[in-house]
Amino acid sequence: MALVNLYSDTQTQPTAAMRAAIAAAEVGDEQLRQDPTTTALEERVAALLGHEAAVFLPSGTMCNEIAIRLHVRPGGEQLFLGHDTHPLIAEAGGPAQLSGAVITEVEGESGMFAAGALDAAIAGSGPGGRYGARPRLVCVEQTTNMGGGRIWPLEQVRAVLDIAAEYRLSTHLDGARLMNAVVASGVDAATWAGPFDSAWLDFTKGLGAPVGACLAGSAAFIDEAWRWKQMLGGAMRQSGIVAAAGLHALDHHVDRLAEDHARARRLAEGLAQLPGVELDAATVDTNIVIFAVPDSSAFCSALADEDVAMSRFGPTRVRAVTHLDVDDAGIERALAAAARALG
């Protein structure tokens, strides 16, 4: 029986059409700026996100780390971000190691902090002057990952950006699942990403590509990002072979994200009815469903016995993520397996 893989949307496989686009890609030497497919993707993403330029990178983690390093100078500068966001929990301490950043979590529901909470965190971050860490950068994750795929309200983002501007701080948008927010909210990508000093878009989540992300910003910012891409080993040669997958994804896999969202809602509604599950299905905005069960290890193990994969985070917390390789029948199989696991 085929695996119903809800472990993550990073598990997507390239479609036959995407593989054909990869095979047909026109390529050249990326480091010499001679790969036309990579250049086309960078220009496409820069325009999509409302920025001057973009650079293709192997991963979203590299996008975050290069951006943080360019905004934060080593020597006690401070980074403000939401609870359980990716740079904090899944980048191996990169902001501290690569940028020397002092990290301050700003509390807010599902990783989405309010402008007042950011204001209080900045004001309360130390005595200032030569005694305290210097506030430098605010990061927003759209959609929230461990917050359950929630979409920051646009006015809340704008209010946070206003506070950052008041304190003259740089701003960065982690847009790993930005297109999920675009499809679910009806707000275009440039409206979300354009006001930030830097932003990035991932192709390996719901968009279904096997490799890559693009970091966008001003032309000067991207020039510096290229230097760090080289330094960190992210510069490639004929990268058009994978950039073609990103172009195909933007052409063919954006609108269909609505299907993932509908399946996530169906999954959440079904799970919420099972005994022992703690879940408010109304909070599922996009393609991520996070819920609690009495024993996440036993639950996920029982699912695995029935060829259903979800991921566990701690003793009770479980995450399920819908994507293009999970259809309606897969959702029903997952729900049936969950009911048996909790029986």
Side-chain angles (χ1 to χ4, degrees):
M1 186 177 293
L3 176 68
V4 178
N5 195 342
L6 294 162
Y7 183 86
S8 175
D9 47 5
T10 61
Q11 304 293 299
T12 52
Q13 297 289 305
T15 63
M18 182 178 284
R19 290 174 185 270
I22 290 170
E26 183 181 0
V27 298
D29 191 322
E30 178 208 78
Q31 293 192 35
L32 297 178
R33 312 301 291 135
Q34 293 175 353
D35 189 296
T37 306
T38 300
T39 299
L41 180 62
E42 291 168 342
E43 292 174 350
R44 175 92 173 264
V45 171
L48 180 69
L49 299 187
H51 284 276
E52 288 183 338
V55 58
F56 182 59
L57 295 169
S59 71
T61 294
M62 190 175 285
C63 289
N64 270 340
E65 292 303 329
I66 288 177
I68 292 170
R69 179 59 185 82
L70 291 179
H71 291 304
V72 174
R73 297 172 297 188
E77 295 194 336
Q78 199 163 12
L79 160 65
F80 297 88
L81 39 64
H83 180 67
D84 277 357
T85 47
H86 201 271
L88 186 64
I89 67 169
E91 297 184 9
Q97 174 65 26
L98 298 175
S99 303
V102 175
I103 300 173
T104 297
E105 288 186 56
V106 185
E107 290 301 323
E109 181 184 358
S110 302
M112 302 178 291
F113 49 85
L118 176 61
D119 192 6
I122 296 169
S125 62
R130 61 193 172 98
Y131 296 100
R134 179 178 295 152
R136 180 62 67 183
L137 175 65
V138 177
C139 289
V140 166
E141 185 183 66
Q142 179 76 301
T143 64
T144 64
N145 179 1
M146 295 311 300
R150 300 294 303 277
I151 300 172
W152 286 65
L154 182 57
E155 290 310 311
Q156 186 171 339
V157 171
R158 286 172 169 165
V160 163
L161 291 171
D162 286 344
I163 293 296
E166 182 180 325
Y167 285 96
R168 299 184 180 179
L169 306 186
S170 297
T171 56
H172 172 66
L173 179 68
D174 177 337
R177 295 179 176 86
L178 177 62
M179 299 314 293
N180 291 90
V182 168
V183 169
S185 69
V187 177
D188 67 81
T191 299
W192 288 118
F196 287 82
D197 294 306
S198 58
W200 63 274
L201 180 67
D202 201 297
F203 306 112
T204 69
K205 307 293 194 305
L207 295 181
V211 178
C214 268
L215 173 65
S218 69
F221 180 89
I222 295 303
D223 280 345
E224 283 299 299
W226 255 101
R227 181 172 183 272
W228 277 89
K229 174 176 177 171
Q230 184 73 33
M231 190 185 307
L232 296 177
M236 297 172 278
R237 295 299 178 184
Q238 288 77 29
S239 60
I241 205 78
V242 283
L247 285 169
H248 181 87
L250 291 176
D251 286 336
H252 301 284
H253 291 174
V254 174
D255 290 343
R256 64 145 311 279
L257 292 172
E259 300 171 18
D260 297 340
H261 302 166
R263 288 173 181 137
R265 287 192 293 272
R266 165 61 188 140
L267 180 65
E269 290 163 359
L271 287 169
Q273 296 174 15
L274 298 179
V277 171
E278 295 180 20
L279 169 62
D280 180 358
T283 64
V284 176
D285 291 339
T286 54
N287 69 324
I288 299 176
V289 181
I290 294 181
F291 58 100
V293 294
D295 183 337
S296 62
S297 179
F299 176 78
C300 289
S301 179
L303 293 186
D305 289 341
E306 298 199 41
D307 292 316
V308 175
M310 296 185 187
S311 52
R312 60 183 295 267
F313 292 87
T316 63
R317 204 175 187 204
V318 179
R319 187 186 70 166
V321 188
T322 56
H323 52 83
L324 60 84
D325 290 335
V326 178
D327 58 13
D328 292 334
I331 296 300
E332 299 309 317
R333 272 185 55 200
L335 285 171
R340 287 187 287 272
L342 293 165

